[in-house]
Amino acid sequence: MLLIESDGKSLWRRAGIETPPSVLVHRGQDLASVELPAAGRCLTKAQVPVGGRGKAGGIVECADPAAVRDALARLLGSQLKGHTVHACLLEGFVQGEEHYLAVLADPTGGGVRLLYSQAGGVQVESANQGGVGFDQTVEAELPAVMTALAELRAALPEPSAAAIARCGEQLAALFFEHELLVAEINPLFVHQGRAVAGDAKVVIDLNAIERQPVLMELLQAGKAHYPDAWHKVTEDYDFIEIDPDGEVGLVTTGAGLSMMLLDELIAGGARPFNFSDVRTGQMRGDPARLLQMMTRFREAKGVKVVLINVFAGITDLAEFAQIVVKALARMPDWNLPMVARLIGNNVEKAREILAAQAPQVRVVEHLDDAVRMARELASSRDPAGSRNA
């Protein structure tokens, strides 16, 4: 899970990595009272957990306080790359050459990868690197990364070498302490023996979150920025909104099967609203989890149909069918059509239950039929009709 920049930089500062002077401004705050972090020019940066903010208009260079207020008024509450902007980071300008430095997990190489480039900034991936480049995968241990950093330092000129190597050591220590997947600084401003982190790309491992109280605190404080991750941590199942204007709400089990279903829908011209792995075996007869999902579907502005795809091994599909019946009974004003494709343990009994107690649920046997029916229902209903039909 990618952290917003301000949370990533809070980790940088904990590790001793210098960051530019900054102020975080939240949505709903009185913009007239906002104080700039430094004199002179300022960057106004939308805080959303996604890359490419600059190219999408989410980073604005401001010459004076009036320009800052204008940028804040435009960005706060807006949609940027599918995310609502709940906060903006105001930062003072930093002088220096733009470098790139990263420590990241490398599953393919079976270790940890240390990356450095003297050509940083927004074009780092396509830049013609005329300076020093460094790319080394080592064992997933801090001493091994420190050894690689010593090799990097030896290849760089002073006084930049000392500042870059020290920043790398702090970054590597943070990476292992918090069990991170990615710790990247781009750009890393280097000037007269000083290194300042101009950005923060931090990807955390949600599977390790229970061992990481600092990261859990960031996640809890930033629930508005990380609704899907917070949902997984607190509710113990996956529900990830992938298209706020999506037409098909998904109740699915199994990450691989769910991804395949997303591909099938998109290939057929439908727009899925979410990814999910509902883990039916943990419902234990309780419809609360399904009701949460149905509530989100109903509140979504574009969802026109709900597609259920459950492949059951241990799960008793008859029990799951009863959960569907209970959920519909507790939501009597539910009016979105539902298509269910159920495969596995006790499927015939599940079909009987739904036919007798929830006939509005269209039950099909084959995945192709389920996708086709969901797509047809979505295309035949407008958003207003999906709420009032």
Side-chain angles (χ1 to χ4, degrees):
M1 185 201 84
L2 179 65
L3 295 182
I4 59 172
E5 178 188 0
S6 59
D7 284 345
K9 284 183 172 173
S10 73
L11 295 180
W12 287 178
R13 291 189 289 272
R14 288 177 64 92
I17 298 171
E18 186 177 355
T19 64
S22 63
V23 173
L24 188 63
V25 182
H26 296 276
R27 183 181 181 185
Q29 190 172 332
D30 180 13
L31 301 185
S33 64
V34 172
E35 296 185 6
L36 301 188
R41 292 179 300 163
C42 177
L43 287 177
T44 302
K45 299 178 168 184
Q47 297 300 286
V48 288
V50 65
R53 292 173 299 156
K55 294 179 180 179
I59 298 178
V60 182
E61 181 177 334
C62 302
D64 52 46
V68 171
R69 288 192 293 271
D70 288 344
L72 289 172
R74 178 174 63 82
L75 290 173
L76 289 170
S78 69
Q79 290 289 314
L80 185 69
K81 302 191 75 171
H83 296 268
T84 301
V85 179
H86 295 283
C88 285
L89 188 68
L90 306 183
E91 275 193 344
F93 269 72
V94 178
Q95 289 186 331
E97 296 180 345
E98 294 186 359
H99 296 237
Y100 172 95
L101 184 63
V103 180
L104 58 149
D106 184 2
T108 303
V112 169
R113 192 175 178 189
L114 174 64
L115 287 169
Y116 165 79
S117 171
Q118 199 169 2
V122 295
Q123 302 297 337
V124 64
E125 293 182 359
S126 59
N128 181 13
Q129 298 179 13
V132 176
F134 190 91
D135 183 349
Q136 189 173 129
T137 297
V138 299
E139 293 184 9
E141 298 177 352
L142 182 58
V145 179
M146 294 301 186
T147 299
L149 282 164
E151 295 180 24
L152 171 61
R153 177 172 181 171
L156 298 175
E158 296 292 356
S160 298
I164 292 168
R166 181 172 182 272
C167 184
E169 292 169 357
Q170 295 164 324
L171 198 66
L174 183 75
F175 178 87
F176 284 101
E177 178 186 358
H178 294 297
E179 302 177 86
L180 302 179
L181 299 176
V182 174
E184 175 187 286
I185 303 175
N186 182 38
L188 176 66
F189 295 105
V190 180
H191 182 65
Q192 297 180 348
R194 175 188 174 205
V196 180
D199 201 354
K201 180 179 180 180
V202 180
V203 179
I204 69 173
D205 183 357
L206 283 179
N207 294 318
I209 195 72
E210 293 184 357
R211 299 189 297 270
Q212 297 295 334
V214 171
L215 299 183
M216 179 65 87
E217 184 177 340
L218 288 177
L219 195 61
Q220 184 171 13
K223 287 182 284 187
H225 303 293
Y226 316 117
D228 297 326
W230 182 247
H231 182 275
K232 180 174 181 178
V233 168
T234 55
E235 302 294 341
D236 193 30
Y237 72 95
D238 293 289
F239 188 105
I240 301 173
E241 183 178 316
I242 60 174
D243 183 351
D245 297 317
E247 304 166 312
V248 183
L250 297 177
V251 178
T252 54
T253 56
L257 288 173
S258 298
M259 291 299 295
M260 180 188 71
L261 184 56
L262 289 174
D263 292 340
E264 292 284 340
L265 286 165
I266 293 171
R271 299 176 63 180
F273 171 72
N274 67 295
F275 163 90
S276 73
D277 183 0
V278 72
R279 297 170 194 160
T280 53
Q282 296 181 15
M283 290 182 174
R284 299 192 177 101
D286 186 350
R289 183 170 294 185
L290 182 57
L291 283 166
Q292 288 177 348
M293 301 178 76
M294 290 169 65
T295 298
R296 290 190 67 171
F297 294 145
R298 190 167 58 178
E299 291 174 349
K301 61 182 179 181
V303 173
K304 303 173 185 177
V305 59
V306 173
L307 175 55
I308 300 171
N309 184 51
V310 177
F311 186 91
I314 298 174
T315 298
D316 187 331
L317 286 174
E319 181 180 1
F320 176 73
Q322 289 287 5
I323 289 172
V324 174
V325 171
K326 291 177 182 178
L328 289 169
R330 295 188 189 182
M331 197 174 283
D333 57 346
W334 175 264
N335 52 22
L336 292 175
M338 302 178 81
V339 179
R341 184 242 185 180
L342 308 177
I343 299 293
N345 182 26
N346 213 6
V347 65
E348 292 303 326
K349 182 63 176 176
R351 288 173 177 273
E352 293 175 8
I353 291 170
L354 291 175
Q357 301 181 51
Q360 67 270 47
V361 179
R362 298 163 171 85
V363 182
V364 297
E365 181 177 355
H366 300 292
L367 181 61
D368 290 346
D369 293 334
V371 170
R372 176 186 52 77
M373 186 176 294
R375 193 168 60 237
E376 290 175 354
L377 285 167
S379 64
S380 66
R381 297 165 64 89
D382 58 35
S386 68
R387 297 297 178 269
N388 301 312

